[in-house]
Amino acid sequence: MIPDVQLIKQGAEARVYLGPFCQRQAIIKERFAKAYRHPTLDKKLTSRRVIQEARCLYRCQKALIDTPTVYLVDLDQSVIYMEYIPGISVRDYLVTEPGQEAEAQHRVAVAIGKALGAMHNIDVIHGDLTTSNLLMRETSGAVVLIDFGLSYVSQLIEDKAVDLYVLERAFVSTHPNTEVMFAQILEAYGESSKASKQILKKLEDVRLRGRKRSMLG
Amino acid sequence: MESYPIEVVPNAGDVHMACFISVKNAPDLKERLQAQDKSLTFAMVESNLIMDVVQLLVAATRAAKDNDTKKLSTQSLSSEIIYNLSPTKNIAESLKRFGITEDTTSLIAVKIGGDPIEVMEDMSKTVDGILVSFSKLDQEKDIKRLRQYYKIDPKVTEDKDILNWIIGAMAMKNVQ
Ligand SMILES: Nc1ncnc2c1ncn2[C@@H]1O[C@H](COP(=O)(O)OP(=O)(O)OP(=O)(O)O)[C@@H](O)[C@H]1O
Ligand SMILES: [Mg+2]
């Protein structure tokens, strides 16, 4: 691996580093093998995930959605080198600055809703929407979508609704008293995406199912 | 000349790059390229298709990496650098677009590895032109052709966004 790199996150499927790359600071995301999977099968699956992640990032970039630029895809090592976005996650923003001005929070919510609407418009399903996977640029405060490790392309309203539901659960479980903010996200989402009305309707079904499931335990 | 490390493949040596304008011997250089003259040890890139040094560094990094794993798509490390600048897999077209032509008057010489002093000597001996700093690049770039070749969305207008678009397109050519 590259000298002068700093490990940012050691996950279950990937290690994320920050390090120099072509005169820039880059995020280096390395997927590694899972011990319990067959080596050749694992290599194939890992490779497919890396390709999928890079493709979804690129699909977003081409649709002018603020996402990290892919710099290099190394399929041999299962590594993606990508643009480093200086800033903080929406999670840290909400945790460390509780009770921000309602106006500031509203701006962030609108930015998130718009970004998600644009992403679903090009049929990218994020697959892991949490407040850690939404960054805010240090310079402009613009919201950047990251971590497309579980992303895929689908036109299904159901898939888009579930994507939103995952984010809603993340909000509820990590950020108390953010119902207003989440409602603002959905409002902005509803205005920016074509099929959004249907998707938001579907979200209600998904919620209902979720509730039934949790009642069954 | 400027030299930069290749972080991904540190043992490949540095990338050395020199920018020349008022080049007078392009027909001769082109002929030597076509004859696969082994004494030409560096790549020559049409400088009007270069937005930024980073674009060249990414192409060189990828070439060094693929050379390291014996997975070059073209015949040499030099042609691979040029090929990597292109967003398409068509080798002939890529080399034609991003390499020099008989009419080239400004070019960038790029070499991976080697002693910087020797590389610089070799480049200035081979290219009959005026060595300039990379800050001159700005005046050279042909934004219309860049937009055409990389299919840049007309709504992308800021230099840094254009550059990121270009790098993304280069990076994705082996995963499309
Ligand atoms: N492009 C980026 N710019 C800045 N920080 C980033 C970037 N990508 C990732 N990070 C930081 O690294 C952390 C982990 O990255 P990421 O979410 O992609 O990996 P992960 O959660 O391990 O992935 P996966 O869910 O695919 O296993 C992020 O939460 C963020 O703090
Ligand atoms: Mg993550």
Side-chain angles (χ1 to χ4, degrees):
Chain A
M1 187 49 76
I2 299 181
D4 305 321
V5 294
Q6 176 193 338
L7 182 67
I8 297 188
K9 194 190 164 204
Q10 164 82 59
E13 309 216 338
R15 274 184 284 264
V16 176
Y17 303 88
L18 176 64
F21 177 86
C22 295
Q23 300 302 105
R24 293 184 172 189
Q25 282 284 87
I27 287 288
I28 303 157
K29 186 165 177 178
E30 177 187 37
R31 283 181 174 272
F32 45 80
K34 286 207 171 158
Y36 60 83
R37 279 204 302 239
H38 187 276
T40 26
L41 173 68
D42 189 80
K43 184 88 211 152
K44 261 204 189 117
L45 288 174
T46 310
S47 196
R48 201 178 301 158
R49 279 312 329 162
V50 172
I51 291 173
Q52 194 100 321
E53 179 164 3
R55 278 188 188 155
C56 286
L57 278 166
Y58 187 51
R59 196 177 169 102
C60 286
Q61 179 182 39
K62 286 204 296 182
L64 312 184
I65 299 165
D66 204 346
T67 40
T69 298
V70 177
Y71 291 161
L72 182 72
V73 183
D74 183 344
L75 290 177
D76 295 316
Q77 307 286 327
S78 305
V79 179
I80 298 179
Y81 298 80
M82 69 179 97
E83 178 185 357
Y84 166 64
I85 313 290
I88 61 164
S89 66
V90 168
R91 181 200 170 100
D92 289 345
Y93 169 77
L94 291 175
V95 169
T96 58
E97 298 170 49
Q100 303 98 335
E101 281 174 52
E103 215 176 294
Q105 214 174 64
H106 185 224
R107 264 201 305 277
V108 176
V110 169
I112 295 172
K114 277 188 180 163
L116 298 181
M119 182 184 76
H120 283 173
N121 241 343
I122 55 164
D123 299 325
V124 170
I125 311 300
H126 186 279
D128 189 18
L129 283 177
T130 61
T131 47
S132 302
N133 289 338
L134 302 168
L135 299 185
M136 290 163 65
R137 280 190 193 272
E138 201 169 46
T139 43
S140 60
V143 169
V144 184
L145 308 175
I146 63 157
D147 191 0
F148 287 73
L150 295 172
S151 305
Y152 58 99
V153 174
S154 162
Q155 301 184 337
L156 296 181
I157 289 171
E158 167 86 19
D159 289 342
K160 296 174 186 178
V162 169
D163 221 17
L164 295 176
Y165 184 65
V166 169
L167 182 63
E168 182 169 53
R169 299 310 303 166
F171 259 88
V172 170
S173 62
T174 27
H175 309 293
N177 311 315
T178 48
E179 293 82 2
V180 171
M181 187 179 178
F182 194 77
Q184 290 166 343
I185 291 176
L186 293 186
E187 196 187 328
Y189 177 88
E191 281 163 18
S192 67
S193 128
K194 272 181 271 166
S196 58
K197 294 285 170 298
Q198 264 176 299
I199 296 162
L200 291 177
K201 187 115 196 67
K202 189 62 138 190
L203 175 60
E204 288 171 23
D205 296 347
V206 177
R207 277 183 191 134
L208 222 61
R209 259 188 279 150
R211 228 170 280 144
K212 276 189 201 143
R213 202 171 301 137
S214 66
M215 277 194 304
L216 291 171
Chain B
M1 193 180 71
E2 297 183 9
S3 301
Y4 300 92
I6 302 179
E7 298 91 345
V8 176
V9 198
N11 57 1
D14 288 354
V15 191
H16 309 291
M17 303 191 281
C19 211
F20 293 91
I21 58 165
S22 306
V23 175
K24 293 197 185 70
N25 63 336
D28 169 48
L29 293 171
K30 181 76 194 171
E31 205 176 292
R32 288 173 67 186
L33 281 172
Q34 262 153 0
Q36 301 192 358
D37 183 342
K38 290 276 185 298
S39 65
L40 274 181
T41 61
F42 50 86
M44 288 176 283
V45 178
E46 185 68 54
S47 42
N48 48 28
L49 294 177
I50 301 303
M51 268 303 279
D52 193 284
V53 167
V54 175
Q55 186 185 352
L56 286 168
L57 288 178
V58 172
T61 296
R62 171 110 164 252
K65 182 182 76 68
D66 288 341
N67 190 42
D68 199 45
T69 52
K70 308 251 178 314
K71 284 188 178 158
L72 292 186
S73 303
T74 63
Q75 301 218 329
S76 69
L77 195 50
S78 291
S79 53
E80 195 77 7
I81 295 170
I82 299 172
Y83 171 67
N84 286 346
L85 287 167
S86 165
T88 74
K89 282 194 185 165
N90 184 328
I91 294 176
E93 185 192 72
S94 301
L95 298 183
K96 194 166 165 233
R97 286 181 169 178
F98 292 85
I100 57 166
T101 67
E102 288 179 3
D103 305 322
T104 294
T105 54
S106 67
L107 65 83
I108 302 170
V110 187
K111 176 163 168 66
I112 296 171
D115 174 70
I117 295 170
E118 283 170 23
V119 171
M120 184 68 260
E121 261 176 24
D122 185 25
M123 287 175 175
S124 7
K125 200 178 68 203
T126 310
V127 182
D128 181 8
I130 302 167
L131 184 65
V132 292
S133 89
F134 274 79
S135 55
K136 283 266 190 293
L137 259 184
D138 246 12
Q139 299 151 27
E140 303 290 330
K141 69 181 178 228
D142 182 345
I143 202 76
K144 210 172 139 199
R145 264 168 74 215
L146 278 167
R147 284 192 176 279
Q148 182 197 337
Y149 292 167
Y150 290 101
K151 300 193 168 64
I152 301 171
D153 189 300
K155 289 196 280 295
V156 177
T157 52
E158 281 193 41
D159 278 0
K160 72 169 179 19
D161 297 328
I162 292 176
L163 180 58
N164 277 341
W165 182 291
I166 289 171
I167 294 172
M170 285 164 51
M172 292 306 290
K173 88 169 177 182
N174 67 330
V175 272
Q176 285 296 9

